[in-house]
Amino acid sequence: MAVAKDTERDIQENILVRTFRETRSELRQVVWPSREETIRLTVLVIAVSLVIGLLLFIGDSIFTFLYTSLVSLVQ
């Protein structure tokens, strides 16, 4: 009796098909945010990024001022 052997290509195709099916299944279970929630959270992320950027700029400016003052005192 002949037994069908899985070739390497058949195994690869089965892995790909299974992966795509599992991915689709998982994406169906995702609870997507509403448009309003997405906009609200996007604005929040932009605002927090601007605040952190401003704080970094202020800190960098202070250290630059202190460094240039120290260098000018040494010279």
Side-chain angles (χ1 to χ4, degrees):
M1 182 189 277
V3 177
K5 294 183 180 180
D6 287 336
T7 64
E8 184 68 27
R9 183 174 177 185
D10 290 340
I11 292 172
Q12 289 294 333
E13 287 178 0
N14 289 338
I15 290 172
L16 286 174
V17 169
R18 188 178 78 217
T19 301
F20 285 123
R21 283 185 184 153
E22 290 174 358
T23 302
R24 247 177 61 198
S25 173
E26 288 296 323
L27 285 175
R28 286 183 182 151
Q29 296 175 10
V30 173
V31 177
W32 298 101
S34 66
R35 183 176 186 88
E36 292 80 21
E37 186 177 12
T38 303
I39 292 170
R40 183 175 51 85
L41 292 176
T42 302
V43 169
L44 179 66
V45 167
I46 292 170
V48 169
S49 298
L50 289 173
V51 169
I52 290 174
L54 182 64
L55 291 175
L56 288 172
F57 173 74
I58 291 170
D60 185 51
S61 298
I62 291 170
F63 282 120
T64 302
F65 173 75
L66 293 174
Y67 177 75
T68 54
S69 298
L70 183 64
V71 168
S72 67
L73 283 177
V74 172
Q75 291 178 355

